[in-house]
């Protein structure tokens, strides 16, 4: 256990005691009084439950000389506070840009710099665009050889597009995860800005073609109709999903587990760190299911690289 | 003690909610160790006659006067709204009033909006403004409501200089700009969509507006509650007294409720 985790546990214990003292009250005798049981609020050990964040980002250009590390440092500090052991990060080129390979490499260099500075806390995905052709495949090799665990694709191409197939084949060959930005957008204005965002059926099409691909539908709650996405994924048993996103709607996690099985569900935050830890804690799960979602399911994918 | 200032009762037309009745909301509060909540009526948002939703809400929360504090919804475009407003603030002693201009078809700065804001300011009750009920990227085809904008908030704050605001389910708030708009001391912001760690929006708002400007909020039953409980625990940089203010004392004071707990 590292020193940061030890001091963190001390704080948690103190806060837990404070919370209990503040909330102690006699058992309910009338409808205006909260009932005493079952246990209320957060589980006492929530900070120390092991967690691997399967979808996060570093946003700055940390590899440049005299780079500002403040954002990465806040990310790492937040992970420590929330008991997230490791954050698997990428730095996609967004806003509809089809970037040249130099810009793509620079984005990945920023992630590699963060991995180097915080090797215990930050892992990496290689951002690539299928449109960069053979250079994209070379970039995957470069990044994986440097320690990254997967690729991250954004919305430059739909994943059912044949241009994506060489990337999928490279992932299979290197035994790495393919994490894809996703949404089923029902808002016409948002859809117009991201016309090539893949929805669950696009993931399904790719999975049908490559059933052995470790394919992860990114941020089930990242904006878009998540209920639609879950229903669509029922027909594609080889697609995993991650729990991240700024939408924290009740029962999203429970619905994933009931309809898809908890083994397909991977904890992630995509920068909404407190809220996304909270929704896995609040969901109706057994302790074993919660542990699987928080880290074990993702660890199983990572272990396949060396199997 | 925790007081949730961002909670709702009723059916939502575009998604199934697991806690819809007041009894179910109280059970949800119990499950999460939340003692009290400021609750708005979802029916009042979607009924043509919003006041019928208020009547339902007041009747429904009656068994839980120490747990649920009802907020009245006013629709200034509907016939007889001034009389309803007088009932709400007089006979019913509402602790807060909410406007939902995006759902009721007006803006805060048009004739209807200004009329409502004038009445609310004169009555001295806080105005609760919910920036959004759900993310528009997943909207139902019949859901045309946009998020309330910071610009519309600032315009209302400047035009009605003694009006007090409860900002529920907001993101994108800049503390310095809120202070420039004259909102220091006149605003209570819940942290349901704000972060304590990483983006550090809550500490920044506290630095700009004082700890009295922040309150616990979860946006239940739309959202999972535990994220807000985590945020409260993460406020460990505050003194225990200040953390208690965010947890409940600020809400109680802003709403003019009994502080003794």
């Amino acid at each position: 256990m590292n020193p940061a985790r030890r001091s963190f546990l001390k704080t948690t214990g103190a806060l837990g005691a404070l919370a209990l003292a503040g909330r102690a009250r006699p058992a309910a005798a009338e409808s205006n009084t909260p009932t005493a049981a079952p246990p209320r609020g957060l589980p006492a050990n929530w900070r120390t439950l092991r967690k691997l964040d399967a979808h996060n980002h570093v946003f700055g250009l940390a590899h440049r000389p005299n780079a500002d590390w403040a954002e990465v440092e806040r990310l790492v500090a937040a992970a420590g506070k929330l008991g997230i052991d490791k954050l698997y990060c990428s730095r996609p080129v967004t806003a509809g840009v089809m970037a040249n390979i130099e810009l793509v490499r620079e984005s990945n260099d920023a992630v590699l710099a963060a991995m180097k500075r915080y090797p215990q806390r930050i892992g990496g995905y290689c951002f690539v665009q299928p449109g960069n052709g053979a250079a994209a495949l070379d970039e995957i090799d470069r990044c994986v050889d440097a320690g990254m665990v997967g690729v991250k694709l954004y919305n430059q191409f739909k994943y059912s597009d044949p241009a994506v197939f060489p990337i999928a084949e490279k992932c299979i060959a290197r035994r790495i995860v393919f994490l894809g930005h996703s949404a089923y957008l029902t808002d016409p204005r948002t859809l117009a800005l991201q016309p090539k965002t893949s929805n669950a059926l696009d993931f399904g099409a790719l999975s049908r073609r490559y059933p052995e691909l470790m394919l992860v539908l990114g941020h089930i709650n990242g904006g878009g109709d998540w209920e639609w996405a879950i229903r669509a994924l029922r027909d594609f048993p080889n697609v995993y999903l991650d729990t991240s996103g700024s939408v924290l709607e009740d029962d999203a996690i429970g619905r994933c587990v009931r309809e898809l099985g908890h083994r397909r569900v991977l904890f992630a935050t995509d920068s909404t760190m407190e809220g996304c830890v909270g929704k896995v804690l609040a969901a109706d799960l057994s302790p074993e299911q919660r542990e699987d979602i928080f880290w074990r399911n993702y660890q199983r994918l990572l272990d396949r690289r060396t199997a | 003690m925790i007081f949730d200032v961002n909670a709702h009762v009723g059916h939502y037309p575009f998604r199934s909610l697991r806690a819809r009745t007041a009894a179910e909301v109280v059970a949800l509060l119990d499950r999460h160790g939340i003692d009290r909540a400021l609750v708005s009526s979802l029916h009042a948002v979607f009924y043509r006659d919003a006041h019928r939703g208020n009547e339902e809400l007041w009747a429904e929360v009656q068994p839980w006067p120490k747990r649920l504090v009802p907020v009245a919804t006013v629709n200034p475009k509907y016939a007889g709204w001034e009389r309803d407003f007088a009932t709400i603030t007089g006979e019913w002693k509402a602790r807060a009033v909410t406007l939902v201009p995006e759902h009721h078809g007006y803006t805060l700065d048009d004739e209807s909006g200004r009329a409502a804001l004038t009445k609310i300011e004169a009555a001295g009750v806080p105005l609760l403004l919910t920036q959004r009920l759900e993310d528009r990227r997943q909207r139902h085809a019949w859901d045309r409501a946009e998020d309330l904008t910071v610009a519309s908030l600032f315009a209302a704050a400047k035009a009605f200089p003694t009006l007090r605001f409860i900002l529920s389910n907001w993101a994108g708030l800049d503390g310095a700009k809120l202070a420039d708009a004259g909102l220091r001391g006149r605003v209570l912001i819940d942290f349901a969509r704000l972060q304590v760690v990483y983006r550090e929006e809550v500490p920044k708002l506290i630095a700009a507006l004082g700890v009295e400007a922040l309150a616990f909020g979860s946006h239940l039953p739309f959202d999972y509650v535990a994220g807000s409980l985590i945020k409260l625990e993460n406020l460990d940089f505050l003194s225990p007294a200040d953390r208690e203010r965010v947890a409940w004392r600020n809400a109680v004071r802003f709403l003019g409720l009994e502080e003794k707990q």
Side-chain angles (χ1 to χ4, degrees):
Chain A
M1 183 181 286
N2 66 38
R5 170 60 69 86
R6 273 200 298 275
S7 63
F8 179 56
L9 280 171
K10 261 191 225 168
T11 310
T12 309
L15 281 176
L18 180 68
L20 281 174
R23 295 186 208 165
R25 56 170 73 236
E30 46 152 322
S31 61
N32 276 319
T33 310
T35 50
R40 306 185 309 160
L42 298 169
N45 65 340
W46 72 269
R47 290 191 198 266
T48 56
L49 293 172
R50 188 175 182 204
K51 306 171 195 82
L52 300 177
D53 184 343
H55 183 164
N56 213 320
H57 299 287
V58 294
F59 290 108
L61 290 167
H63 63 294
R64 288 182 176 174
N66 305 315
D68 180 359
W69 282 90
E71 185 269 331
V72 176
E73 285 162 2
R74 284 200 311 275
L75 182 72
V76 167
K81 191 93 175 161
L82 296 167
I84 300 173
D85 296 75
K86 197 153 184 175
L87 310 145
Y88 290 88
C89 298
S90 63
R91 190 179 181 283
V93 177
T94 59
V97 174
M98 181 63 209
N100 61 40
I101 193 65
E102 287 74 25
L103 193 58
V104 169
R105 285 196 192 109
E106 181 167 44
S107 279
N108 291 324
D109 284 343
V111 177
L112 289 168
M115 290 166 61
K116 189 173 176 187
R117 186 162 173 137
Y118 295 104
Q120 303 303 316
R121 197 67 91 174
I122 295 182
Y125 290 104
C126 178
F127 167 67
V128 286
Q129 300 169 138
N132 292 131
L137 302 179
D138 292 343
E139 178 64 359
I140 293 172
D141 282 331
R142 180 181 83 95
C143 290
V144 174
D145 290 345
M148 290 192 179
V149 301
V151 302
K152 170 69 197 288
L153 269 66
Y154 198 57
N155 60 11
Q156 283 85 356
F157 287 79
K158 275 191 170 276
Y159 306 150
S160 48
D161 188 318
V164 175
F165 297 166
I167 306 281
E169 288 165 14
K170 174 64 83 174
C171 289
I172 292 166
R174 297 296 309 248
R175 297 185 178 184
I176 56 173
V177 172
F178 180 124
L179 170 64
H181 175 83
S182 80
Y184 181 71
L185 298 167
T186 58
D187 175 50
R189 212 169 26 178
T190 311
L191 186 58
L193 293 171
Q194 305 187 30
K196 292 186 180 173
T197 291
S198 294
N199 63 45
L201 293 181
D202 298 308
F203 281 78
L206 188 62
S207 176
R208 281 248 162 91
R209 185 177 180 90
Y210 299 107
E212 68 275 49
L213 178 64
M214 292 190 276
L215 180 58
V216 179
L217 177 139
H219 49 56
I220 188 71
N221 285 141
D225 186 345
W226 54 268
E227 294 176 287
W228 186 97
I230 293 169
R231 289 174 74 87
L233 282 183
R234 289 189 295 195
D235 294 329
F236 304 105
N238 297 321
V239 182
Y240 294 78
L241 63 86
D242 84 53
T243 60
S244 68
S246 60
V247 174
L248 303 174
E249 289 190 341
D250 176 67
D251 208 27
I253 306 302
R255 196 83 65 84
C256 291
V257 169
R258 288 193 300 276
E259 300 202 14
L260 307 175
H262 78 276
R263 288 293 183 90
R264 296 170 65 185
V265 181
L266 312 173
F267 164 71
T269 72
D270 191 10
S271 308
T272 304
M273 299 176 76
E274 290 155 320
C276 287
V277 171
K279 59 190 181 184
V280 176
L281 291 174
D284 300 321
L285 302 169
S286 70
E288 292 74 21
Q289 287 175 327
R290 187 166 285 111
E291 271 193 67
D292 279 351
I293 291 170
F294 264 145
W295 71 274
R296 205 177 282 124
N297 291 340
Y298 191 63
Q299 186 64 54
R300 286 191 188 104
L301 291 183
L302 298 181
D303 290 346
R304 281 202 219 167
R305 287 176 305 155
T306 51
Chain B
M1 167 86 176
I2 298 175
F3 192 135
D4 190 334
V5 300
N6 181 355
H8 305 267
V9 170
H11 287 264
Y12 182 63
F14 306 125
R15 185 165 78 82
S16 168
L17 301 175
R18 291 198 293 177
R20 295 181 288 262
T21 65
E24 288 166 344
V25 166
V26 168
L28 193 58
L29 299 180
D30 284 346
R31 180 177 168 189
H32 291 92
I34 297 171
D35 301 82
R36 210 166 184 190
L38 187 65
V39 289
S40 308
S41 165
L42 290 170
H43 297 180
V45 175
F46 293 97
Y47 290 171
R48 284 191 296 273
D49 183 353
H51 194 61
R52 299 298 170 215
N54 293 329
E55 290 170 344
E56 289 178 5
L57 180 65
W58 251 256
E60 201 173 342
V61 302
Q62 205 175 15
W64 296 280
K66 294 179 184 169
R67 307 296 305 282
L68 302 178
V69 179
V71 180
T73 304
V74 172
N75 181 357
K77 289 191 76 174
Y78 214 72
W81 73 271
E82 291 102 331
R83 187 184 304 171
D84 296 336
F85 185 82
T87 303
I88 288 162
T89 53
E91 186 185 336
W92 293 7
K93 296 183 171 50
R95 297 296 179 166
V97 168
T98 186
L99 298 176
V100 284
E102 283 292 321
H103 294 82
H104 288 166
Y106 63 95
T107 61
L108 290 176
D109 63 352
D110 68 13
E111 190 180 346
S112 299
R114 286 196 307 274
L117 294 177
T118 301
K119 284 267 187 198
I120 296 166
E121 184 181 45
V125 289
L127 168 65
L128 184 148
L129 290 176
T130 298
Q131 188 175 33
R132 70 185 195 191
L133 290 173
E134 69 172 336
D135 191 305
R136 64 181 161 77
R137 291 171 294 179
Q138 63 186 43
R139 69 172 65 189
H140 188 282
W142 280 16
D143 181 1
R144 298 183 179 182
E146 299 294 339
D147 293 4
L148 294 184
T149 64
V150 174
S152 69
L153 167 68
F154 288 171
K158 285 177 179 165
F160 297 89
T162 64
L163 184 58
R164 294 181 301 137
F165 294 85
I166 300 171
L167 300 183
S168 178
N169 220 38
W170 283 69
L173 296 172
D174 180 309
K177 290 180 180 170
L178 287 163
D180 287 346
L183 281 166
R184 192 181 176 104
R186 295 166 54 201
V187 69
L188 187 68
I189 304 165
D190 92 66
F191 58 38
R193 292 180 62 215
L194 306 172
Q195 300 186 13
V196 176
V197 299
Y198 183 44
R199 291 194 178 133
E200 300 180 351
E201 294 143 329
V202 174
K204 287 174 191 166
L205 285 170
I206 288 174
L209 298 168
V211 73
E212 66 272 18
L214 270 294
F216 181 95
S218 71
H219 200 47
L220 70 82
F222 285 91
D223 288 357
Y224 284 116
V225 176
S228 290
L229 296 174
I230 288 173
K231 291 172 198 175
L232 190 59
E233 290 207 5
N234 283 346
L235 288 174
D236 51 4
F237 57 89
L238 296 177
S239 68
D242 279 348
R243 198 162 148 267
E244 199 171 65
R245 292 169 81 183
V246 176
W248 67 274
R249 284 192 189 276
N250 289 341
V252 163
R253 188 167 300 142
F254 208 82
L255 295 165
L257 294 163
E258 179 65 46
E259 271 218 40
K260 203 166 54 180
Q261 292 295 331

